[in-house]
Amino acid sequence: MTTAKDIMHPGAQWIPAHETLDRAAQMMRDLNVGALPIADQNERLTGIITDRDIVVGCVAMGHDPSEVTCGEMAKGTPRWIEADADVGAVLEEMESHQIRRLPVIEDKRLVGMISEADLAQHLSDEQLKAFCASVYAAS
């Protein structure tokens, strides 16, 4: 059985909820990623911030990214998957919530992220087609 841990990109890093969006953008640049999980002081997932969130939700609205925190931008219920979950559960979680990135948790700690690129490398053509139809059809 292929698990979330098998297909994830390891080494994902949190950004604390109190950090500003300009710091998040710097981290994304340095890590060459488009999203960061947001954590509270106890390293519990409180959301995900994307590069698009920073541009559309902050900069385009005329706000200063050095004054807006990641926690202020976090919306909705954060989604995640256990490292030992099978690929079917990963796809179900991502498709049912129409999300493109999914944090992977093991022993209550962030161990990686699953992105569309990870799915493209590890899924069959049929699985990938179904994922794209589900996530992008309603976007």
Side-chain angles (χ1 to χ4, degrees):
M1 164 179 87
T2 303
T3 66
K5 192 169 188 175
D6 295 330
I7 67 170
M8 73 179 190
H9 181 83
Q13 293 185 24
W14 299 107
I15 187 157
H18 69 270
E19 285 286 356
T20 57
L21 297 182
D22 63 336
R23 178 66 186 123
Q26 292 163 1
M27 281 183 69
M28 288 180 200
R29 176 201 61 212
D30 294 346
L31 297 169
N32 194 30
V33 297
L36 293 169
I38 304 169
D40 65 15
Q41 65 275 11
N42 298 317
E43 290 193 358
R44 294 188 57 143
L45 182 67
T46 60
I48 292 181
I49 188 78
T50 67
D51 47 8
R52 187 174 195 284
D53 293 334
I54 295 169
V55 172
V56 175
C58 179
V59 176
M61 300 298 287
H63 302 295
D64 183 348
S66 68
E67 295 181 6
V68 178
T69 68
C70 293
E72 291 171 327
M73 290 293 292
K75 296 180 183 104
T77 302
R79 308 307 310 179
W80 53 272
I81 196 91
E82 288 284 345
D84 62 356
D86 69 32
V87 170
V90 170
L91 291 173
E92 182 178 326
E93 185 69 19
M94 293 177 81
E95 290 172 2
S96 66
H97 297 285
Q98 295 188 316
I99 55 177
R100 297 177 177 112
R101 298 170 180 99
L102 188 62
V104 180
I105 306 293
E106 185 174 56
D107 298 325
K108 298 183 182 180
R109 297 282 182 214
L110 178 70
V111 294
M113 288 278 281
I114 297 173
S115 69
E116 296 164 305
D118 299 312
L119 296 178
Q121 290 178 354
H122 294 93
L123 297 182
S124 69
D125 289 345
E126 306 296 321
Q127 289 172 308
L128 195 55
K129 181 179 175 182
F131 171 79
C132 291
S134 175
V135 171
Y136 290 102
S139 298

